[in-house]
């Protein structure tokens, strides 16, 4: 996986901006520790940092179709194309001659052959910038589900772009500012961010399944993929077999790598199914056992279960690893390490995130990276099969808002009265919800109950899943680890989109369809394990340190967070021992405290101006 960045400018000669481009590119070194490169022309400049995964010697970027002044197109690409071999064969039959074995060149030549329709042929995870020198047009393209990030800023005479905001922030044409919309996103909708909103004022994110076309005349967003609603005609047995086949094919394709590969194994049915299918594919190929990793905390056995974390991972991880036959390692994360990792995670995400959950994920990925460059994850199964608690809570499903926000406070409750009057968080949330419902592909004649469940699935895919994918990408790439997500294969998502709820949750069993489709691969206790979310630390010290930091902020008359947040309200809540509203929906008594402290750290570190 890699980092990409660049600059389009119709008024400035970018041939003289090599230093600025290299500074933008350097910010993404963690995404691509193996190599870097830049390409400049009068109006287009592309930068690249490379993490070598396929064609270690030949995949140098930015990649031009030919050297010299006759260049037709140049590509800076971040991703993996899982069907690149089939596409290469098709393109060779059409007369294309390849210089490398890389999937990067397949993407480039696919665009030369099929133009803007090329991304609809791709199966993979990708975000890339392609400069068409013939048309003087830049295309910014993002994969179907938005697994790989790509941000852009429309400046006075062109566009800046990058895999992460830090690359755009490195250019003096862009300033870190937060306006009313950004404040609403950060405080009212941290668990349901608006598609395409980059948080900073004037920063956008290419939406999943979209491309952004930049010419002298205009900058336009074009959708190349969407879900389509249709009647599901397969019976239960056929549906199970189809799901199993699509998932097995996705896992098999994603095992392609010229570097060490592993799986992330939490002991749930999602990650265990991916691990089992990967192990079986490697066995068929005559390869060795697959390596797997999990995370745990000292004292986790004493933790009290809750609605989101119903069981401990460790016993199920052990059962799955033994049954499948993996080479397994459990990464133990001490409390002090979590505290030490906070700054690294903030720098990785370029925004306040999920505190200790991000920090523990960073530490897990750091240990994984010592032995592997690529990891397969079970992420996204809950969104496409309906595994989260809100899918099974009648009140949440019926609520006239994002189901996971039903009955929950958000950090917006802490905003100062003058800020709240400007931001209007409740109105902002309601408008975002209405816009989201307006994007749902409807099915004529569908019963009201099924139509509502379809809405909930669409909300989960378009508003709940993106921040989870962003978290995994940004935290993993901060240590140079590529994480692949087989459940996000768009063919599987398309099929499941039209499977009725009664088949997805037979007999009311959460993810019953997935459990039944992989039952022969796993021990019963793993197959039937109730949904249990990503674990959090049970330790007291983390809370004590954050509480002390919050008290220091209260004593600091210049703490920037209190330009947004009501200082006296925070003081009163802490004095009464009450938790601050958290940006996360999973129960976490320290989540709100984490958010408050991290917002202040972010405003200082990024010198964010408030509009």
């Amino acid at each position: 996986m890699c980092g990409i960045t660049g600059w389009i400018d119709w008024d400035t000669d970018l041939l003289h901006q090599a230093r600025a481009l290299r500074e933008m590119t350097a910010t993404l070194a963690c995404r691509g520790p193996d190599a870097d490169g830049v390409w400049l022309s009068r109006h287009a400049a592309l930068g690249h940092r490379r993490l070598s995964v396929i064609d270690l010697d030949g995949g140098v970027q930015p990649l031009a179709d030919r050297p010299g002044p006759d260049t037709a197109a140049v590509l800076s690409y971040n991703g993996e194309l899982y069907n690149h071999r089939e596409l290469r064969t098709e393109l060779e039959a059409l007369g294309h001659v390849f210089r490398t074995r890389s999937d990067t060149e397949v993407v480039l030549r696919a665009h030369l052959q099929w133009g803007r329709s090329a991304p609809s042929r791709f199966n993979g995870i990708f975000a890339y910038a392609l400069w068409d020198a013939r048309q003087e047009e830049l295309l910014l393209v993002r994969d179907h589900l938005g697994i790989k990030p790509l941000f852009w800023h429309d400046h006075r005479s062109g566009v800046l772009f990058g895999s992460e905001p830090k690359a755009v922030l490195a250019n003096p044409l862009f300033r870190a500012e937060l306006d009313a919309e950004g404040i609403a996103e950060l405080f009212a909708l941290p668990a349901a961010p608006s598609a395409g909103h980059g948080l900073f004022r004037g920063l956008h994110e290419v939406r999943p399944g979209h491309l952004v076309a930049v010419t002298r005349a205009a900058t336009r967003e074009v959708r190349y993929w969407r879900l389509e609603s249709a009647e599901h005609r397969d019976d239960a047995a056929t549906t199970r077999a189809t799901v199993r086949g699509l998932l097995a094919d996705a896992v098999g394709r994603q095992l392609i790598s010229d570097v060490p590969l592993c799986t992330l194994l939490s002991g749930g049915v999602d990650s265990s199914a991916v691990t089992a299918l990967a192990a079986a594919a490697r066995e068929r190929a005559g390869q060795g056992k697959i390596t797997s990793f999990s995370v745990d905390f000292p004292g986790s056995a004493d933790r009290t279960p809750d609605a989101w974390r119903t069981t401990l991972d460790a016993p199920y991880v052990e059962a799955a690893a033994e049954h499948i036959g993996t080479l397994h390692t459990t990464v133990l994360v001490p409390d002090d390490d979590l505290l030490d990792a906070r700054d690294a995670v903030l720098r990785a995400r370029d925004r306040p995130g999920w505190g200790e959950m991000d920090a523990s994920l960073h530490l897990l990925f750091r240990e994984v990276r010592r032995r592997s460059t690529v990891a397969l994850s079970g992420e996204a199964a809950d969104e496409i099969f309906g595994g989260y608690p809100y899918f099974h809570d009648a009140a949440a499903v019926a609520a006239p808002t994002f189901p996971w926000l039903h009955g929950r406070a958000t950090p917006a409750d802490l905003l100062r009265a003058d800020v709240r009057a400007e931001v209007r968080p409740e109105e902002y949330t309601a408008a975002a919800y209405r816009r989201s419902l307006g994007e749902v592909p409807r099915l004529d004649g569908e019963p009201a109950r099924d139509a509502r469940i379809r809405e909930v699935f669409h909300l989960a895919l378009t508003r709940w899943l993106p921040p989870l994918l962003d978290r995994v990408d940004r935290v993993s790439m901060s240590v140079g680890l590529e994480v692949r997500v087989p459940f996000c294969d768009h063919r599987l998502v398309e099929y499941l989109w039209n499977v009725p709820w009664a088949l997805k949750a037979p007999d009311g069993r959460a993810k019953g369809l997935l459990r039944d489709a992989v039952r022969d691969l796993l021990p019963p206790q793993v197959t039937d394990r109730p949904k249990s979310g990503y674990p959090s630390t049970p330790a007291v010290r983390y809370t004590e340190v954050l509480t002390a930091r919050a008290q220091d902020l209260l004593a600091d008359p210049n703490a920037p967070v209190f330009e947004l947040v009501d200082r006296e309200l925070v003081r009163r809540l802490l004095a009464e021992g009450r938790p601050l509203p958290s940006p996360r929906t999973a129960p976490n008594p320290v989540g709100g405290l984490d958010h408050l402290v991290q917002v202040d750290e972010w405003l200082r570190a990024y010198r964010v101006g408030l509009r």
Side-chain angles (χ1 to χ4, degrees):
M1 208 53 61
C2 307
I4 71 170
T5 190
W7 184 0
I8 301 298
D9 203 309
W10 308 113
D11 293 344
T12 301
D13 186 350
L14 296 181
L15 288 169
H16 302 298
Q17 296 296 327
R19 179 177 177 180
L21 179 63
R22 290 194 180 278
E23 289 176 353
M24 295 170 68
T25 305
T27 66
L28 302 173
C30 59
R31 296 186 71 91
D34 297 328
D36 68 337
V38 298
W39 182 91
L40 297 113
S41 68
R42 183 174 177 80
H43 297 301
L46 275 63
H48 190 266
R49 291 290 315 199
R50 187 182 184 209
L51 176 66
S52 302
V53 174
I54 295 176
D55 192 7
L56 304 187
D57 297 324
V60 177
Q61 294 190 55
L63 179 67
D65 68 311
R66 63 175 70 90
D70 295 331
T71 295
V74 183
L75 176 68
S76 187
Y77 168 73
N78 167 30
E80 301 294 346
L81 211 59
Y82 303 132
N83 63 337
H84 71 96
R85 292 172 177 170
E86 300 97 307
L87 289 173
R88 177 187 295 267
T89 299
E90 186 176 357
L91 288 164
E92 286 175 336
L94 291 169
H96 290 266
V97 177
F98 286 82
R99 306 194 310 269
T100 73
R101 293 189 300 107
S102 70
D103 55 339
T104 305
E105 190 174 7
V106 172
V107 172
L108 176 63
R109 298 199 172 276
H111 270 278
L112 292 174
Q113 180 66 39
W114 297 304
R116 291 186 186 180
S117 67
S120 63
R121 297 172 177 262
F122 297 160
N123 178 283
I125 53 178
F126 51 83
Y128 59 87
L130 183 135
W131 171 247
D132 187 328
R134 303 163 302 181
Q135 304 295 325
E136 286 201 326
E137 178 182 63
L138 174 75
L139 296 181
L140 301 174
V141 186
R142 195 168 179 212
D143 61 59
H144 302 71
L145 273 295
I147 302 161
K148 293 289 108 182
L150 184 54
F151 296 85
W152 61 280
H153 167 64
D154 223 350
H155 65 84
R156 181 182 58 81
S157 56
V159 164
L160 304 172
F161 64 88
S163 292
E164 299 179 4
K166 58 175 62 69
V168 179
L169 286 164
N171 191 297
L173 290 174
F174 184 76
R175 295 180 61 189
E177 293 181 331
L178 196 63
D179 59 13
E181 280 195 7
I183 295 168
E185 291 288 325
L186 183 59
F187 283 86
L189 286 176
S194 299
H197 202 293
L199 190 60
F200 292 104
R201 178 175 179 267
L203 187 67
H204 313 280
E205 191 168 14
V206 180
R207 296 179 65 182
H210 284 69
L211 63 84
V212 174
V214 182
T215 65
R216 285 178 182 268
T219 297
R220 295 191 299 116
E221 189 177 49
V222 180
R223 182 192 291 269
Y224 70 82
W225 178 79
R226 71 177 69 235
L227 290 168
E228 295 183 0
S229 295
E231 184 180 355
H232 183 77
R233 299 182 180 277
D234 292 346
D235 61 18
T238 304
T239 300
R240 287 194 299 272
T242 303
V243 167
R244 171 66 171 268
L246 287 169
L247 182 58
D249 183 70
V251 171
R253 288 174 180 272
Q254 296 185 29
L255 291 174
I256 298 172
S257 173
D258 293 338
V259 293
L261 178 146
C262 68
T263 68
L264 305 175
L265 180 62
S266 70
V269 66
D270 313 337
S271 63
S272 299
V274 168
T275 301
L277 289 168
R282 287 173 64 92
E283 184 178 356
R284 289 193 299 271
Q287 299 169 337
K289 290 185 175 182
I290 195 159
T291 300
S292 60
F293 292 86
S294 63
V295 67
D296 204 352
F297 303 93
S300 63
D302 300 326
R303 186 180 184 95
T304 303
D306 57 48
W308 282 79
R309 301 177 187 91
T310 56
T311 51
L312 296 174
D313 283 353
Y316 298 93
V317 168
E318 182 179 350
E322 182 178 353
H323 184 88
I324 298 167
T326 74
L327 302 174
H328 187 75
T329 298
T330 296
V331 177
L332 199 65
V333 177
D335 221 26
D336 285 344
D337 289 0
L338 284 173
L339 291 163
D340 292 341
R342 285 175 53 82
D343 185 63
V345 169
L346 180 64
R347 295 291 183 174
R349 299 199 66 177
D350 294 325
R351 61 171 295 162
W354 296 354
E356 54 94 2
M357 291 179 67
D358 288 348
S360 65
L361 194 67
H362 169 82
L363 295 169
L364 167 64
F365 287 161
R366 190 180 69 181
E367 291 304 309
V368 172
R369 183 61 175 89
R370 298 184 195 281
R371 293 171 54 183
S372 293
T373 308
V374 177
L376 269 63
S377 165
E379 199 77 64
D382 288 301
E383 288 80 5
I384 62 176
F385 285 97
Y388 286 113
Y390 59 77
F391 280 100
H392 305 272
D393 181 340
V397 169
T401 187
F402 298 103
W404 51 89
L405 295 183
H406 171 62
R408 296 185 181 277
T410 70
D413 291 349
L414 298 178
L415 292 174
R416 287 171 25 172
D418 57 333
V419 176
R420 171 178 285 278
E422 184 74 19
V423 172
R424 299 180 180 179
E426 291 82 8
E427 294 180 24
Y428 190 89
T429 300
Y433 178 67
R434 289 193 300 270
R435 285 195 305 272
S436 297
L437 288 187
E439 298 174 355
V440 179
R442 307 292 176 176
L443 180 62
D444 290 341
E446 191 169 39
R449 166 68 177 173
D450 290 342
R452 177 54 182 166
I453 288 293
R454 187 182 292 276
E455 289 178 348
V456 173
F457 270 101
H458 199 266
L459 294 172
L461 287 169
T462 60
R463 301 301 292 259
W464 174 277
L465 180 60
L468 297 181
L469 293 176
D470 181 76
R471 169 181 178 250
V472 169
D473 172 85
R474 304 285 284 283
V475 177
S476 64
M477 293 309 299
S478 71
V479 296
L481 176 71
E482 175 185 312
V483 175
R484 299 176 178 177
V485 278
F487 283 107
C488 280
D489 186 297
H490 71 275
R491 301 166 303 160
L492 178 61
V493 175
E494 287 171 346
Y495 183 77
L496 284 165
W497 170 247
N498 287 307
V499 173
W501 181 242
L503 289 181
K504 285 178 179 169
D507 304 318
R509 292 180 293 125
K511 290 189 293 190
L513 172 56
L514 174 62
R515 299 178 195 279
D516 293 343
V518 300
R519 189 166 295 278
D520 60 307
L521 298 173
L522 304 169
Q525 67 268 38
V526 173
T527 306
D528 296 321
R529 181 190 180 190
K531 167 67 182 173
S532 194
Y534 183 84
S536 64
T537 178
V540 173
R541 175 166 160 70
Y542 189 88
T543 302
E544 291 175 342
V545 170
L546 281 186
T547 300
R549 291 183 184 179
Q551 294 292 353
D552 289 342
L553 290 181
L554 288 170
D556 181 357
N558 299 314
V561 69
F562 292 118
E563 294 183 47
L564 300 173
V565 169
D566 186 328
R567 186 188 299 262
E568 294 309 313
L569 175 57
V570 171
R571 191 189 310 277
R572 185 168 68 252
L573 291 174
L574 292 181
E576 295 171 357
R578 294 162 59 188
L580 303 184
S582 173
R584 294 173 294 195
T585 55
N588 190 304
V590 76
L593 198 62
D594 231 338
H595 189 254
L596 177 80
V597 174
Q598 201 170 53
V599 168
D600 189 84
E601 292 169 342
W602 175 68
L603 292 170
R604 295 175 193 260
Y606 283 74
R607 299 179 181 178
V608 181
L610 300 176
R611 300 275 290 209

